[in-house]
Amino acid sequence: MMHIMIVGAGSLGLLFAAKLSECSHRLTIVTRTKDQAQALQEHGIVLDGTRMAARNIVVESFEDGQAGSGGDPDFIFLMVKQTAITDELIAGVKSLMAAKTVLVCFQNGIGHEQRLGSAVGSDKLLLAVTTEAARKEGSNAVSHTGKGITYIGAIEAAGHEPVPEGLQILLTDLMEKAGVSAEMSKNMVMRIWTKLLINAVINPLTAILRVKNGDLLRSPSTIALMRDLFDEAMLLAAAKQISLPEDLWETIQHVCKATARNHSSMLQDVMLKRNTEIDSMNGSLLRLAEALQIELPIHRTVYRLVKALEE
């Protein structure tokens, strides 16, 4: 029996846990707080208003010191926001890993892969990029607001062999059986940058303007702002010699339409007075541009506006 551990019970963590709970595999959910762990233990996971059959699920939390009692996971899905990846969290995740464990990282943006690869080794690390959309409705409840696809692949690092393809295929097959569309990718750099540009164009504008994703397409002015952000990011990608899909601008508009009624995660963070992921999105683009002496004035402006909203 395969043992999957999910670290982080936010919207996507709960969604994937609910889907995987319907399989016959062993599942451990590690929450940040004892209160959420207790809610999941007592009430299970509610997906789209329906309580899932909580077969083979163990719930633990970092807060009460239980995390780690689940033992010997085959895969750990790290499903916290990049802002939550502190040295303390990395140490905690490492303590959960057995010799056979592979860490699968679902973070947006860039930068986390180097930190985690250095900590656990690239031969123990897979990156995941998902277009699944979910909204957390409570400690143990989640709505699946948009069906997407999840790409999974290894990273290359000098002196380290990547995770074997056989394990990657095993994982994607497992997710498919759980009802999550998944594909193995041999070009995760392109996948990561594609998701980064989509987020860096849509999320900050929704947060600044306090609008849903689809509202960005209602005004010529917001469409022009989106295009400015996109063009600047594409200049940087070209300078970094990163190949991106030719239809990426059309994809960004399609994402806005497909998630028209959604509040972006950045808008939700601003509304709830939490720190956003702006540093790992537009901020990461600005850091790369600065190293190459490239100016991204529109990205810098939206970055500063979101930081002002945080403060």
Side-chain angles (χ1 to χ4, degrees):
M1 179 183 291
M2 192 74 65
H3 180 192
I4 309 296
M5 180 178 282
I6 295 178
V7 176
S11 55
L12 285 177
L14 288 174
L15 173 65
F16 276 69
K19 295 285 189 181
L20 289 165
S21 73
E22 292 299 283
C23 297
S24 59
H25 298 284
R26 182 181 171 197
L27 181 66
T28 301
I29 304 171
V30 180
T31 68
R32 183 176 61 85
T33 67
K34 185 165 55 177
D35 288 345
Q36 188 179 21
Q38 185 174 348
L40 287 165
Q41 286 169 342
E42 293 179 357
H43 306 293
I45 302 171
V46 178
L47 173 61
D48 293 328
T50 302
R51 181 172 174 173
M52 310 302 290
R55 295 190 294 266
N56 304 317
I57 293 183
V58 174
V59 183
E60 305 174 345
S61 78
F62 280 120
E63 186 178 69
D64 61 11
Q66 285 185 354
S69 60
D72 287 351
D74 294 282
F75 295 99
I76 294 178
F77 288 9
L78 185 60
M79 306 194 80
V80 300
K81 290 184 177 180
Q82 192 172 148
T83 52
I85 302 180
T86 61
D87 291 341
E88 183 181 14
L89 179 78
I90 292 172
V93 170
K94 283 186 69 175
S95 73
L96 300 174
M97 297 177 70
K100 66 177 180 179
T101 307
V102 173
L103 181 63
V104 188
C105 300
F106 282 78
Q107 281 63 50
N108 291 322
I110 53 177
H112 60 285
E113 68 277 16
Q114 285 94 355
R115 293 180 65 199
L116 291 164
S118 297
V120 306
S122 60
D123 58 332
K124 295 286 186 181
L125 183 66
L126 289 174
L127 302 179
V129 171
T130 187
T131 58
E132 297 283 0
R135 181 175 63 249
K136 188 177 176 184
E137 306 289 2
S139 294
N140 67 313
V142 63
S143 294
H144 193 182
T145 56
K147 186 166 178 58
I149 187 168
T150 300
Y151 297 100
I152 294 171
I155 60 172
E156 302 289 338
H160 290 276
E161 290 294 325
V163 174
E165 283 192 14
L167 281 176
Q168 298 178 51
I169 293 169
L170 179 68
L171 180 57
T172 54
D173 287 348
L174 181 152
M175 292 172 68
E176 286 281 347
K177 289 175 183 175
V180 178
S181 296
E183 288 184 14
M184 189 178 80
S185 174
K186 293 187 177 181
N187 190 355
M188 287 305 293
V189 171
M190 183 268 286
R191 300 290 181 193
I192 289 169
W193 270 75
T194 296
K195 182 74 180 289
L196 173 60
L197 263 65
I198 291 171
N199 285 333
V201 168
I202 296 174
N203 285 21
L205 294 182
T206 61
I208 294 164
L209 299 171
R210 304 289 180 105
V211 297
K212 296 177 181 178
N213 293 358
D215 292 334
L216 293 178
L217 300 180
R218 297 179 183 274
S219 161
S221 295
T222 53
I223 293 172
L225 274 171
M226 291 170 64
R227 185 70 203 207
D228 287 343
L229 288 168
F230 173 77
D231 288 342
E232 284 188 0
M234 289 297 288
L235 283 174
L236 177 61
K240 296 281 293 181
Q241 297 184 321
I242 293 169
S243 179
L244 292 169
E246 292 183 359
D247 62 347
L248 183 51
W249 171 242
E250 288 74 20
T251 298
I252 291 172
Q253 295 175 82
H254 172 74
V255 169
C256 281
K257 293 174 184 176
T259 61
R261 299 176 63 185
N262 288 10
H263 292 98
S264 74
S265 59
M266 192 171 291
L267 173 56
Q268 293 178 54
D269 286 338
V270 167
M271 291 171 68
L272 293 171
K273 301 187 185 303
R274 300 184 303 217
N275 286 337
T276 72
E277 292 186 286
I278 191 71
D279 284 297
S280 59
M281 292 181 185
N282 304 73
S284 65
L285 295 175
L286 288 168
R287 288 190 293 274
L288 291 172
E290 185 176 359
L292 295 172
Q293 296 185 318
I294 295 173
E295 289 295 322
L296 305 181
I298 310 301
H299 280 273
R300 186 167 298 283
T301 298
V302 299
Y303 173 83
R304 287 173 173 167
L305 286 168
V306 173
K307 294 301 286 186
L309 290 173
E310 286 184 348
E311 294 164 2

